[in-house]
Amino acid sequence: MATLQIENLSNDFKINLSELLSGIKPGEEIIILNQGVAIAKLVPISPSSNRLASLGQDKGKFVVPDDFNEPLPEEIMAAFEGE
């Protein structure tokens, strides 16, 4: 686990942070400390949480009904409206 003390940041903070982030691997984390107290945690985003990577993954697993965009029946709308 890498740590980053924010009170000791130099002018080349972007370079240091870029190096830290480029080296982080799944399961690792970077803890950001302020005066020795943990204030934040950076973790890598897993590929499954990447929206573009997940598009189309359920293709063929279900069928959207033809009336999907049609108005709901009156009794269901009444239930939503508290009637």
Side-chain angles (χ1 to χ4, degrees), residues 2-18:
T3 60
L4 181 63
Q5 291 276 358
I6 64 172
E7 67 267 9
N8 297 329
L9 295 179
S10 62
N11 290 336
D12 56 355
F13 169 71
K14 288 182 182 179
I15 295 170
N16 293 333
L17 183 60
S18 178

Side-chain angles (χ1 to χ4, degrees), residues 49-63:
S49 64
N50 180 338
R51 174 144 166 72
L52 291 177
S54 66
L55 292 176
Q57 70 183 11
D58 291 329
K59 185 176 181 177
K61 293 184 179 179
F62 64 92
V63 176

Side-chain angles (χ1 to χ4, degrees), residues 1 8 11 13 18 22-23 26 29 39-42 47 59 63 72 80:
M1 167 182 61
N8 297 329
N11 290 336
F13 169 71
S18 178
S22 66
E29 56 190 38
I39 59 168
K41 176 171 59 172
L42 297 174
K59 185 176 181 177
V63 176
L72 292 171
F80 276 112

